[in-house]
C-alpha cells in the first residue's frame, strides 16, 4: 500500500490531536456522554421545520436550492441585520454583516483573512478547542491570557499589551464560555473594549451560547459596546439546530469584506436552504416562541447536574456555576490527571473531555469539561455518580494516575 504521509502539509501536525473528531463521533453504547456541546434534540422545532422546508422546496427552489452570493442571500442578510438590532440594540450597516456556515467557519475565515504564520493572537486560558485547533493550523502564536471566576482578566491582557504584545486579535467567548461556562461582567466588557480600542487591537467575540441564558437576560455584547473594534461570530447551532450549519459575522466593514472574500475559497456560500429556513423561521417569530423552553430545559439540566455533583463528588473537587449554556468545568485535586483517568471513566460508563486540549501548551491536566445539555436529568445524576467514583478511586490511589509535571 502506498503511504502518503510524506505529502501531508505541515499544518496537519499543528492543529492538535483528534479530540474534536472523537467528541463528534459520540460515545460507545452504555457510556453516558457529557462530552459534546450538543443541543438537546427536544429543542429542535421539527413540526415548524417540516412545514417551512416543504414550502421552500415547493415555492422557493430557485433561491433556496441554488448557489447564493458569498455574503449570503440578500433577504437573509436583511433578516440578520434586523435580528442584530433587536438582540444587540445596534443596527449593522449592510457592509458590516455576512452569513457564514456556522461559528466554526467564521473562525476559519478569520484565520485566512488575518493570520500569517507566526502572528500573535490572544486567547483565554482555557478556550474553545475548535478555535485553538484552527489557530494552531494557521500557525498563529497563541498567547494565553488567564481567567478568573468572572472570565478573561482584562488587567492581565493590559499588562501584556503594555509590555509590547500586539496580537492580530483577542479571541473571547464572553457568555457561558466554552469550556468554563463563565460570563464576563459588564465592567470588564467596557474595559476590554476601551483597552483594545486604545491599542488598535481587534476583538474576536464568539457568542455561540449567548442566547441560552437560564434567566433569559443578557449583558450587552462586546460588538454592541464597540462595533468599531469587535468582530462578532454568531451561530444558529445552539439556538436552532447544528445541522443547519449557519451563522453570521458582524463587525468593521473592512474586516467583514475580507471574510466574505476568504469565503470564496472555503465553501463559496452557506447552504441556501438553511439560510432560508432561518429567515422564514425567524421572521415567523420561531426564536421568541421556542427559546424560552430551551432555556428552561438547560437551566433544569444544570440544576440536576449541580445537585448531583454536590451529592456525589469528593470534597476537594470544584466546578464552575454557569448561568447559561451547556458547560461546566471541573478542577480535581492537584496531581490527578484527567487524560490518564479517562479510560477508567469510560469503563465505568461515563465520558468527559479532559482539560489539556483547551489550553495552549496542554496545561490543566487536573481539569475537565462536562456538558449537561443532552443527557436526561436521571442520566446526569448517574453520570455524575460514576465520574465521582472514578475520581474517588484515583484520589485513593494517586500513584497510577499521577503524571510528572502535575497540573
Ligand atoms: C464557542 C464555540 N464557538 C463556535 C462553535 C462552532 O459552532 P458551529 O456549529 O456554528 O460551527 C462552537 C461549537 O460548539 C462553540 O462552542
Amino acid at each position: 500500500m502506498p503511504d502518503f504521509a510524506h505529502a501531508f502539509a505541515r499544518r496537519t501536525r499543528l492543529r492538535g490531536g483528534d479530540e474534536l473528531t472523537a467528541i463528534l463521533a459520540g460515545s460507545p453504547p452504555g457510556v453516558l456522554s457529557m462530552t459534546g456541546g450538543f443541543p438537546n434534540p427536544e429543542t429542535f422545532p421539527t413540526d415548524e421545520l417540516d412545514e417551512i422546508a416543504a414550502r421552500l422546496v415547493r415555492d422557493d427552489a430557485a433561491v433556496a436550492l441554488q448557489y447564493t452570493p458569498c455574503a449570503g442571500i440578500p433577504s437573509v442578510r436583511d433578516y440578520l441585520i434586523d435580528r442584530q438590532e433587536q438582540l444587540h440594540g445596534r443596527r449593522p450597516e449592510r457592509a458590516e454583516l455576512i452569513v457564514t456556515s456556522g461559528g466554526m467557519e467564521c473562525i476559519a475565515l478569520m484565520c485566512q483573512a488575518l493570520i500569517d504564520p507566526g502572528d500573535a493572537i490572544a486567547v483565554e486560558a482555557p478556550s474553545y478547542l475548535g478555535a485553538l485547533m484552527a489557530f494552531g493550523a494557521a500557525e498563529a502564536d497563541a498567547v494565553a491570557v488567564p481567567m478568573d471566576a468572572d472570565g478573561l482578566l482584562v488587567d492581565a491582557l493590559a499588562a501584556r499589551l503594555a509590555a509590547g504584545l500586539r496580537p492580530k486579535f483577542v479571541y473571547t467567548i464572553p457568555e457561558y464560555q466554552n469550556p468554563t461556562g463563565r460570563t464576563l461582567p459588564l465592567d470588564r466588557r467596557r474595559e476590554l473594549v476601551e483597552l483594545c480600542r486604545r491599542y488598535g487591537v481587534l476583538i474576536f467575540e464568539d457568542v455561540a451560547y449567548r442566547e441560552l441564558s437560564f434567566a433569559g437576560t443578557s449583558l450587552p455584547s462586546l460588538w454592541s459596546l464597540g462595533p468599531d473594534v469587535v468582530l462578532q461570530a454568531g451561530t444558529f447551532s445552539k439556538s436552532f439546530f447544528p445541522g443547519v450549519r449557519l451563522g453570521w459575522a458582524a463587525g468593521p466593514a473592512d474586516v467583514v469584506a475580507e471574510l466574505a472574500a476568504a469565503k470564496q475559497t472555503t465553501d463559496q456560500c452557506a447552504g441556501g436552504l438553511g439560510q432560508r429556513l432561518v429567515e422564514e423561521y425567524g421572521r415567523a417569530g420561531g426564536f421568541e416562541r421556542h427559546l424560552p423552553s430551551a432555556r428552561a430545559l438547560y437551566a433544569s439540566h444544570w440544576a440536576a447536574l449541580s445537585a448531583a455533583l454536590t451529592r456525589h463528588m469528593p470534597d476537594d473537587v470544584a466546578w464552575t456555576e454557569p448561568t447559561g449554556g451547556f458547560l461546566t468545568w471541573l478542577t480535581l485535586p492537584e496531581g490527578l490527571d484527567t487524560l490518564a483517568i479517562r479510560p477508567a471513566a469510560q469503563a465505568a460508563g461515563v465520558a468527559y473531555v479532559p482539560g489539556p486540549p483547551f489550553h495552549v501548551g496542554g496545561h490543566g491536566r487536573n481539569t475537565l469539561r462536562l456538558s449537561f445539555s443532552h443527557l436526561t436529568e436521571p442520566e446526569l445524576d448517574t453520570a455524575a455518580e460514576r465520574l465521582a467514583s472514578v475520581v474517588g478511586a484515583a484520589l485513593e490511589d494517586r500513584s497510577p494516575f499521577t503524571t510528572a509535571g502535575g497540573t
Side-chain angles (χ1 to χ4, degrees):
M1 288 285 280
D3 175 356
F4 295 106
H6 66 278
F8 297 157
R10 197 157 51 98
R11 79 179 71 90
T12 62
R13 296 186 295 280
L14 297 173
R15 68 176 163 235
D18 291 333
E19 199 66 57
L20 221 143
T21 307
I23 293 171
L24 290 172
S27 297
V31 174
L32 294 174
S33 173
M34 295 196 279
T35 56
F38 289 20
N40 194 302
E42 266 184 47
T43 67
F44 298 159
T46 47
D47 289 346
E48 281 171 63
L49 287 175
D50 190 22
E51 184 276 316
I52 298 170
R55 180 157 44 82
L56 288 174
V57 171
R58 192 180 60 234
D59 301 336
D60 195 36
V63 174
L65 304 189
Q66 188 54 277
Y67 285 110
T68 89
C70 284
I73 296 171
S75 66
V76 176
R77 283 174 80 192
D78 288 342
Y79 167 62
L80 294 184
I81 286 168
D82 288 349
R83 191 163 189 271
Q84 203 71 357
E85 182 174 22
Q86 181 198 343
L87 293 183
H88 301 273
R90 181 185 179 273
R91 190 174 180 79
E93 299 293 327
R94 204 139 225 293
E96 292 176 329
L97 183 142
I98 60 166
V99 177
T100 67
S101 298
M104 195 57 219
E105 196 216 8
C106 190
I107 292 168
L109 295 174
M110 285 290 282
C111 290
Q112 277 208 37
L114 277 96
I115 297 179
D116 287 316
D119 279 348
I121 58 164
V123 299
E124 292 162 335
S127 186
Y128 171 47
L129 169 58
L132 293 185
M133 290 176 73
F135 300 149
E139 302 184 47
D141 176 14
V143 174
V145 182
M147 307 172 84
D148 65 8
D150 287 333
L152 183 77
L153 283 167
V154 179
D155 288 348
L157 177 65
R160 300 302 299 259
L161 295 176
L165 177 70
R166 291 294 175 269
K168 284 287 180 81
F169 54 73
V170 179
Y171 174 69
T172 175
I173 308 163
E175 292 92 17
Y176 331 123
Q177 196 243 14
N178 187 350
T180 63
R182 293 170 182 148
T183 295
L184 196 69
L186 182 56
D187 53 344
R188 282 201 203 170
R189 289 173 192 240
R190 293 210 168 101
E191 285 162 22
L192 179 61
V193 167
E194 275 315 308
L195 178 71
C196 288
R197 193 176 272 144
R198 200 159 66 244
Y199 281 94
V201 170
L202 185 67
I203 299 171
F204 181 13
E205 174 188 39
D206 184 335
V207 292
Y209 295 92
R210 178 176 166 84
E211 289 172 56
L212 293 172
S213 97
F214 300 153
T217 54
S218 40
L219 293 169
S221 63
L222 295 172
W223 176 77
S224 72
L225 295 173
D228 51 330
V229 286
V230 178
L231 187 290
Q232 180 186 87
T235 175
F236 289 99
S237 287
K238 318 293 176 178
S239 57
F240 194 33
F241 64 102
V244 75
R245 310 304 303 130
L246 211 78
W248 66 91
D254 55 347
V255 180
V256 169
E258 276 307 324
L259 300 184
K263 205 164 160 53
Q264 295 173 103
T265 65
T266 56
D267 60 357
Q268 299 183 344
C269 62
L273 185 58
Q275 293 190 49
R276 291 283 291 120
L277 271 176
V278 166
E279 180 190 353
E280 291 293 303
Y281 179 78
R283 289 266 187 227
F287 292 110
E288 288 75 14
R289 259 195 316 282
H290 281 276
L291 279 175
S293 58
R295 292 186 187 114
L297 181 142
Y298 296 125
S300 176
H301 277 219
W302 166 241
L305 179 60
S306 168
L309 291 171
T310 305
R311 206 162 32 245
H312 301 300
M313 276 295 164
D315 283 345
D316 31 11
V317 174
W319 52 89
T320 57
E321 300 276 346
T323 53
F326 300 170
L327 307 167
T328 183
W329 182 246
L330 268 65
T331 304
L332 309 186
E334 296 274 331
L336 291 201
D337 182 340
T338 57
L339 280 164
I341 66 174
R342 174 157 56 176
Q346 287 260 1
V350 62
Y352 58 81
V353 190
F358 298 100
H359 283 271
V360 177
H363 307 291
R365 296 196 78 108
N366 63 329
T367 56
L368 63 89
R369 189 190 77 175
L370 296 182
S371 166
F372 48 84
S373 56
H374 55 285
L375 292 181
T376 64
E377 293 180 21
E379 284 172 337
L380 286 168
D381 186 70
T382 308
E385 190 172 9
R386 289 177 184 175
L387 181 59
S389 72
V390 173
V391 172
L395 272 173
E396 271 173 33
D397 182 15
R398 287 189 186 208
S399 49
F401 300 126
T402 305
T403 321
T407 62

